[in-house]
Amino acid sequence: MQSFLLLLPDFALIALGVLLRRHGGLGEGFWQGTEKLVYFVLFPALLFNALARANIDLATFAPLFLVGLLTMAGGLLLALLGRPLMGLDAMGFASRVQCAYRFNTYIGIAVAGKFGGAAGVATMGALCGAMVPFANMAAVGLLAHHGQGRLGRELARNPLIIATLAGMAFNFSGMSLPAPLLPFLQRLAEAAVTLGLLAVGAALQVGNSGGRRIGAFYLCAVKLLALPALAWGLASAVGLGGLAFSTVVMFAALPTASSAYILAMRMGGDGPGVAWLISATTVAAAATLTLWLSLLAGRGA
């Protein structure tokens, strides 16, 4: 119950986003503008602020990144093994595979702030930022015949990657942020979490999953149950503990990123099917994230 109450405010914001999108009369342009503001301005500011001021221990971050990468690779492999369950053509299947390992950074940062405070935000931010290029490369790779040449440009222009690299570079430089800049960045960071979660709710869609329903449920189970269990085992094997252990398990338990839908649509894939999976994993994550947070609390992580 304590874990559920801890996550309740964040999922209440997602639910509010759903209601505002459907009954708030704000219009499609408002939500498109909000998503762009969060993605290109607010969230990069949050990542830079957290990483620039964090105490980054490379001895801890290296195994953390390794576990995150291996966990995503495990999700990709499990999704590929489940193809006989899908009942989809090659393009439909390639569109949905990414839903087994891509992650919603907005929810990740919000959850990390709950169990780890500022240090949790910095650790989750660094992990998500480091994993974004690999998630994009894997997703685009399966859809390569529709836009292979755009991969390098998309990665180089990704604001989350740029903010992550800039924040870590500033941190390693030994410099300090000017005092007047700190409250400015903090205000942007606070807005990023709230507006980001509202945008997640606004993006949720209902409808038919397409293909075989068992295949859709399989991908949801891989993302929300199998991957956190895999991350737990890998983190234990490499000796991660404390905040790093909790962060990588919760990272693995995050629902699918809304950017998976954008990529599928841009490259001629199965957008509606991906949208259904994003919505299903986000709704189900209210229960599964509570479960994993409870298990971590019982472990004392």
Side-chain angles (χ1 to χ4, degrees), residues 97-149:
V97 165
Q98 58 180 322
C99 296
Y101 59 84
R102 299 191 73 167
F103 47 90
N104 193 306
T105 310
Y106 303 147
I107 296 177
I109 292 294
V111 172
K114 290 293 192 299
F115 70 77
V121 170
T123 304
M124 182 68 80
L127 178 58
C128 290
M131 295 301 108
V132 163
F134 298 104
N136 285 337
M137 285 188 286
V140 174
L142 286 177
L143 302 167
H145 61 284
H146 281 283
Q148 188 172 18

Side-chain angles (χ1 to χ4, degrees), residues 55-74:
N55 180 19
I56 297 178
D57 179 10
L58 290 179
T60 299
F61 274 73
L64 177 69
F65 292 162
L66 176 62
V67 172
L69 185 58
L70 290 176
T71 299
M72 286 202 307

Side-chain angles (χ1 to χ4, degrees), residues 91-92 95 143 146 150 262-271:
M91 196 59 191
S95 300
L143 302 167
H146 281 283
R150 292 197 294 262
I262 298 172
L263 180 64
M265 291 298 291
R266 182 193 307 157
M267 301 186 71
D270 178 18

Side-chain angles (χ1 to χ4, degrees), residues 41-237:
V41 179
L42 301 181
F43 215 74
L46 183 152
L47 290 177
F48 178 84
N49 184 49
L51 293 171
R53 302 168 61 188
N55 180 19
I56 297 178
D57 179 10
L58 290 179
T60 299
F61 274 73
L64 177 69
F65 292 162
L66 176 62
V67 172
L69 185 58
L70 290 176
T71 299
M72 286 202 307
L76 173 59
L77 178 60
L78 288 172
L80 293 174
L81 292 175
R83 182 169 186 178
L85 301 174
M86 305 299 167
L88 298 167
D89 60 20
M91 196 59 191
F93 176 70
S95 300
R96 299 189 191 201
V97 165
Q98 58 180 322
C99 296
Y101 59 84
R102 299 191 73 167
F103 47 90
N104 193 306
T105 310
Y106 303 147
I107 296 177
I109 292 294
V111 172
K114 290 293 192 299
F115 70 77
V121 170
T123 304
M124 182 68 80
L127 178 58
C128 290
M131 295 301 108
V132 163
F134 298 104
N136 285 337
M137 285 188 286
V140 174
L142 286 177
L143 302 167
H145 61 284
H146 281 283
Q148 188 172 18
R150 292 197 294 262
L151 176 58
R153 186 168 67 252
E154 288 182 2
L155 294 180
R157 296 166 58 183
N158 188 293
L160 304 187
I161 297 175
I162 294 172
T164 298
L165 294 177
M168 296 187 76
F170 189 90
N171 188 300
F172 294 146
S173 72
M175 296 187 294
S176 298
L177 292 170
L181 187 59
L182 293 177
F184 172 71
L185 289 174
Q186 187 59 37
R187 296 292 188 277
L188 293 178
E190 292 168 356
V193 173
T194 300
L195 289 178
L197 292 175
L198 287 174
V200 168
L204 297 186
Q205 300 182 31
V206 296
N208 197 309
S209 64
R212 296 176 187 156
R213 187 58 60 91
I214 188 174
F217 288 157
Y218 173 80
L219 289 176
C220 291
V222 167
K223 184 67 199 75
L224 300 177
L225 298 175
L227 258 63
L230 176 61
W232 190 299
L234 291 171
S236 299

